[in-house]
Amino acid sequence: MSVRIFFSLLIFFIMASIGGFLFIHHWEDTKRVPQSPCYSVIKEGRFIGNDLQPYTFDGIITWWPKKEQMSIFGIKKNDKDVLVVKQTVQLSDVTQYENAIYGRVGLIDIPIDSQATLSSTFNKKGASVSLIFKPISERKWLMMMNDNWVSMCEKK
């Protein structure tokens, strides 16, 4: 075997190994979801409620993966009033497929002081919920909830 063929094969195998490593590393990263709590901060978010009335929300949404629940805390403003929102949504029947988490709304915890004026910000009990995470960096994910909310989820 000549020296030229030997070095050509050596360089080929080194490049193939590096390419394989990068491919597998990227493939594994796309399937990750947060394993510790992550939160999304919403500032001056403009939404439309179930009553088809616009409102503005300032607050934090936190995903708790080990508890399989989401919590929301913030201030909801509309033309009539300003409400403090404190809710916890417990998911049931949770399954994970690659970078997506699917489940159903199991329990909605709304404190007594806000139940009279506020319904659930997320979904009604029994409704399906899908969370899709796309890693951006080691500590940040792009989170899509039910195909319509997109936010940045950052590790605590």
Side-chain angles (χ1 to χ4, degrees), residues 20-76:
F21 171 77
L22 292 175
F23 175 76
I24 290 172
H25 182 69
H26 176 70
W27 182 65
E28 286 295 321
D29 273 355
T30 59
K31 294 187 177 188
R32 287 187 316 150
V33 297
Q35 299 301 313
S36 61
C38 71
Y39 65 94
S40 298
V41 177
I42 298 174
K43 296 180 183 176
E44 305 256 342
R46 299 175 199 269
F47 301 99
I48 296 177
N50 293 338
D51 57 357
L52 301 179
Q53 298 299 315
Y55 67 91
T56 304
F57 179 76
D58 292 305
I60 296 176
I61 297 175
T62 306
W63 165 243
W64 304 87
K66 289 189 176 39
K67 296 179 182 180
E68 297 177 341
Q69 71 182 19
M70 294 190 84
S71 60
I72 183 170
F73 178 76
I75 298 188
K76 182 178 180 180

Side-chain angles (χ1 to χ4, degrees), residues 28-36 38 63 65 96-101 131-135 138 141 155:
E28 286 295 321
D29 273 355
T30 59
K31 294 187 177 188
R32 287 187 316 150
V33 297
Q35 299 301 313
S36 61
C38 71
W63 165 243
Q96 179 181 341
Y97 179 73
E98 294 183 358
N99 65 330
I101 296 173
L131 301 170
I132 300 172
F133 294 93
K134 176 74 176 159
E138 185 69 26
W141 288 265
K155 265 188 187 177

Side-chain angles (χ1 to χ4, degrees), residues 95-113:
T95 58
Q96 179 181 341
Y97 179 73
E98 294 183 358
N99 65 330
I101 296 173
Y102 303 100
R104 297 206 170 276
V105 175
L107 176 68
I108 301 171
D109 180 23
I110 302 174
I112 299 294
D113 59 348

